[in-house]
Amino acid sequence: MDIANLKAKAKATRRLIIEMLAEAGSGHPGGSLSCVEIITCLYFHIMRHRPEEPDWPDRDRFILSKGHSCPTLYSALALSGYFDLSHLKTLRKLGSILQGHPDMLTTPGIEVSTGSLGQGFSIAGGMALSARIDKKPSRIYVLLGDGEMQEGQVWEAAMSAAHYRLSNLTAFLDYNRLQIDGRVEDIMAVEPVRLKWESFGWDVAEIDGHNILEIIDACEKAKSSSKPSMIIANTIKGKGVSFMEGKVEWHGVAPTKEEAEKALLEIEI
Amino acid sequence: MDKIATRDAYGKALLELGRINKDIVVLDADTSASTRTGWFAKEFPERFFNFGIAEANMMGYAAGLSLSGKIPFVSSFAVFGALRTYEVIRTSVCWSNLNVKIVLTHAGISVGEDGPSHQSVEDIGALRVLPNMTIIVPADGIETRKAIFAAVEHKGPVYIRLGRAKFPLLTEADFKIGKARIIEDGKDVTIIACGLMVFEALKAREDLLKEGINVRVVNMPTIKPIDREMLIACAEETKGIVTAEEHSIIGGLGSAVSECLSEYKPTLIKKIGLKDTFGISGTPEELLKKFEIDSDSIKKAVYSMLNGKP
Ligand SMILES: Cc1ncc(C[n+]2csc(CCOP(=O)(O)OP(=O)(O)O)c2C)c(N)n1
Ligand SMILES: [Mg+2]
């Protein structure tokens, strides 16, 4: 898909996120908006997958380790054709196929259930290992939060991916500098991030996480690496909605109908 | 009587399985010499993965491997493999009913000298509350082998709890997940046991017979799902039930039996197990005696039950 189309998809995704969260009345806008370009590029340009055949064995896989950002993933899945767009309005409601955090048993296209931070990263490693054992062409993509990086399990998984040379594993860090209680730097500093991943044996790229060309380029480079790759994506939490951008308050609060209208007007421009 | 450690039986069963089933992969966390997964590692290095001392991550990797059709066996000591990993087992494995086989050794206080940090007496309780989980505590090496093979046939998470010590060989009959078996019949009281305690129950039975007391001994290797039919039959056919396990009396076999019978056939039940306490260092024999989870304690429980004073 060309850049203009990807940009349009990203815009559509942002609109869907706002509409869906306003309808649900709860959920996580900040971290959903910060990873829109990453997930859009993965589903509409980078990954080999078949919405009409979700279980295609040779598909690439995406694991949303920061599961609370599922509105972005649900939008991408719906726009890809895994299920009808009308489901987005049922997010978080009783009986919905779209649970509050990703559930592989209820949502077509979800590779694995997440929501407990740190766990998805290990599972992604297991998938990459499996693909390697079977000499499958599949690449495994996983998205981590910067706060999530504080979990010990993330570093256990980082070590093992390097140890087993999982070059088919590409991770994104949604480096939006915020978590729930405040700035990552103040809560539990994670810097120097690049050095940490390099010293754990990963290939590291640093990009603007809202720049489509940079995302695609970094993923292409990761394909030829002999190590697992970490793409540090500098992002803005709440990106695209001025009153949410960089605001820790918008981590886990849904917009009201009025706020949603205001947000949608901005995304239109 | 022949003796074999259940972990040895596990190591051998894995070798057998590895030869016939290419989907079997084995994961360990720097305990492969003790859990005997090292034997598999030697024969199938390309299907064995050591994760170092990082159990939670190992469990997550197992979830990922199972999602691509592998049948991962995850091993460590029971304390670390069941409890350090607990929330990963819950969310990454059980929630989505993934096909991960968790086989942990060194369970219970018969671990002995290593002391409380290594004596897992809470694992059954912890894992039993997880939806989709199946829990098996084999009584000996023969049953261990059968349980491992049955776990491969079963779709979904299975926890198999093994010991460090050598257990006498007692079982021969077919093993089926969810089925308990009367190994010695009697009418006075039923002793329901799992793991090493089956042997202690049989010892108690022999002594009691000399005193004219005839107890039934039931081997109940599957703690979840519990064999309700067997429990109801024992409650109806004998005068009370004594449970025996190398686990806390909270959450384990005794609790599972009590929960079931309180609902379907209220019965007097006495539980032999760790009485809400941690273990200490000592030899396995000393510890079983000290914590009153041996044949003598089972006998006492039977007496008190027959006297109507549990
Ligand atoms: C293990 C775990 N602990 C706590 C939480 C609650 N929680 C949900 S989101 C979040 C903050 C995540 O911050 P970050 O990883 O930076 O995500 P983002 O900023 O992209 O939203 C926390 C603590 C959780 N989901 N999982
Ligand atoms: Mg963040």
Side-chain angles (χ1 to χ4, degrees):
Chain A
M1 195 175 274
D2 64 30
I3 304 292
N5 270 324
L6 285 169
K7 279 190 175 155
K9 286 278 188 223
K11 192 178 265 190
T13 300
R14 282 208 164 81
R15 294 185 63 84
L16 291 172
I17 291 169
I18 295 297
E19 286 168 358
M20 156 174 22
L21 287 172
E23 184 70 35
S26 69
H28 302 82
S32 297
L33 291 167
S34 64
C35 60
V36 166
E37 280 77 13
I38 296 168
I39 290 182
T40 300
C41 288
L42 285 171
Y43 276 86
F44 299 102
H45 188 78
I46 296 161
M47 291 203 303
R48 300 156 41 260
H49 64 119
R50 295 178 179 167
E52 69 289 356
E53 190 190 351
D55 292 335
W56 177 40
D58 287 351
R59 70 192 182 281
D60 293 340
R61 288 158 173 79
F62 173 67
I63 291 92
L64 183 66
S65 197
K66 42 169 257 176
H68 58 279
S69 300
C70 54
T72 319
L73 178 54
Y74 293 157
S75 304
L77 290 173
L79 290 170
S80 299
Y82 282 91
F83 48 82
D84 198 84
L85 276 164
S86 61
H87 285 289
L88 298 180
K89 290 261 149 116
T90 68
L91 172 72
R92 289 176 164 248
K93 299 228 156 77
L94 191 67
S96 173
I97 65 162
L98 304 180
Q99 296 288 293
H101 289 81
D103 181 349
M104 61 176 280
L105 300 181
T106 62
T107 314
I110 295 288
E111 293 288 353
V112 69
S113 307
T114 52
S116 175
L117 295 168
Q119 296 197 21
F121 197 39
S122 297
I123 298 173
M127 289 177 167
L129 186 57
S130 188
R132 226 206 37 203
I133 298 170
D134 292 338
K135 303 191 169 62
K136 292 266 187 210
S138 307
R139 292 195 64 80
I140 315 297
Y141 295 91
V142 58
L143 178 61
L144 284 181
D146 47 2
E148 181 178 16
M149 226 189 346
Q150 293 154 349
E151 276 287 352
Q153 191 180 343
V154 167
W155 299 101
E156 297 180 8
M159 234 186 291
S160 41
H163 181 81
Y164 286 113
R165 293 193 182 76
L166 301 180
S167 57
N168 54 351
L169 180 64
T170 299
F172 280 94
L173 178 68
D174 188 349
Y175 201 3
N176 58 29
R177 322 259 162 176
L178 295 176
Q179 53 192 111
I180 295 188
D181 278 352
R183 291 167 356 133
V184 173
E185 187 178 56
D186 298 332
I187 303 299
M188 181 52 63
V190 294
E191 279 294 342
V193 171
R194 176 187 261 278
L195 287 178
K196 280 196 174 74
W197 288 97
E198 278 174 354
S199 68
F200 270 72
W202 287 58
D203 255 349
V204 181
E206 228 179 312
I207 63 165
D208 170 355
H210 300 301
N211 185 312
I212 284 169
L213 273 177
E214 289 187 31
I215 294 168
I216 294 172
D217 188 47
C219 283
E220 278 308 317
K221 289 209 176 97
K223 284 184 189 164
S224 53
S225 172
S226 59
K227 300 175 181 175
S229 297
M230 168 53 77
I231 301 171
I232 300 173
N234 289 302
T235 56
I236 295 166
K237 201 154 173 168
K239 171 77 176 175
V241 178
S242 61
F243 59 90
M244 291 184 180
E245 285 190 2
K247 293 277 191 323
V248 75
E249 296 76 19
W250 284 100
H251 170 82
V253 181
T256 61
K257 294 266 140 90
E258 297 73 50
E259 287 165 337
E261 272 172 35
K262 234 175 98 189
L264 290 171
L265 278 177
E266 285 191 23
I267 298 168
E268 200 47 78
I269 302 161
Chain B
M1 200 177 278
D2 280 348
K3 281 187 167 190
I4 175 176
T6 49
R7 57 181 169 141
D8 289 345
Y10 170 47
K12 283 190 192 145
L14 273 184
L15 282 179
E16 276 184 69
L17 273 170
R19 290 172 195 143
I20 56 177
N21 190 334
K22 292 275 170 276
D23 288 333
I24 305 274
V25 293
V26 178
L27 291 65
D28 205 305
D30 203 29
T31 52
S32 67
S34 306
T35 63
R36 307 301 192 226
T37 62
W39 300 348
F40 183 95
K42 211 161 166 220
E43 185 163 333
F44 307 102
E46 71 293 345
R47 281 193 273 148
F48 174 81
F49 303 97
N50 204 324
F51 283 85
I53 310 154
E55 295 79 9
N57 174 53
M58 167 169 72
M59 199 58 75
Y61 262 72
L65 284 157
S66 78
L67 281 163
S68 311
K70 301 285 171 220
I71 305 173
F73 276 80
V74 187
S75 287
S76 175
F77 296 162
V79 199
F80 316 126
L83 301 180
R84 171 64 68 99
T85 54
Y86 189 57
E87 197 223 348
V88 183
I89 297 179
R90 175 193 178 275
T91 303
S92 288
V93 176
C94 285
W95 179 17
S96 305
N97 199 20
L98 299 188
N99 202 24
V100 174
K101 314 304 170 189
I102 304 168
V103 184
L104 306 176
T105 66
H106 296 59
I109 56 167
S110 59
V111 160
E113 293 80 350
D114 274 346
S117 65
H118 283 58
Q119 294 165 343
S120 182
V121 294
E122 312 83 4
D123 49 309
I124 299 176
L127 297 188
R128 199 164 65 86
V129 295
L130 299 179
N132 294 324
M133 182 59 95
T134 293
I135 301 182
I136 305 171
V137 185
D140 64 6
I142 299 169
E143 197 160 76
T144 299
R145 179 181 175 279
K146 289 176 178 160
I148 299 291
F149 275 76
V152 173
E153 295 306 313
H154 176 90
K155 268 244 171 281
V158 178
Y159 169 40
I160 298 180
R161 183 188 206 238
L162 305 179
R164 182 182 88 94
K166 285 196 175 3
F167 289 19
L169 290 176
L170 326 154
T171 66
E172 275 157 28
D174 280 346
F175 170 86
K176 209 165 165 241
I177 291 177
K179 282 282 164 227
R181 200 169 53 87
I182 298 172
I183 42 179
E184 292 290 352
D185 208 356
K187 58 177 182 4
D188 290 331
V189 167
T190 302
I191 306 170
I192 298 179
C194 63
L196 187 56
M197 286 303 115
V198 177
F199 176 66
E200 296 293 327
L202 288 171
K203 263 205 307 209
R205 181 177 193 277
E206 262 180 48
D207 291 352
L208 288 165
L209 265 183
K210 290 177 200 147
E211 301 164 22
I213 301 170
N214 186 10
V215 297
R216 170 183 289 186
V217 174
V218 172
N219 173 23
M220 188 156 280
T222 312
I223 314 292
K224 188 184 178 188
I226 199 90
D227 187 347
R228 188 204 301 175
E229 258 173 55
M230 172 65 83
L231 291 180
I232 293 173
C234 292
E236 280 171 351
E237 292 159 16
T238 65
K239 294 176 192 125
I241 287 177
V242 174
T243 62
E245 62 195 310
E246 219 194 315
H247 184 276
S248 170
I249 54 168
I250 302 173
L253 172 70
S255 289
V257 169
S258 305
E259 285 158 19
C260 176
L261 287 179
S262 68
E263 204 165 325
Y264 294 97
K265 182 77 194 163
T267 310
L268 217 48
I269 297 169
K270 189 139 181 76
K271 302 192 203 89
I272 302 287
L274 261 91
K275 299 173 191 69
D276 198 18
T277 178
F278 288 101
I280 52 172
S281 288
T283 65
E285 296 71 30
E286 287 168 341
L287 293 176
L288 294 176
K289 195 168 169 58
K290 170 165 174 55
F291 289 102
E292 300 177 326
I293 42 181
D294 57 356
S295 61
D296 278 346
S297 311
I298 295 174
K299 268 158 51 186
K300 279 186 203 141
V302 171
Y303 296 144
S304 69
M305 187 148 279
L306 288 173
N307 294 337
K309 305 197 269 264

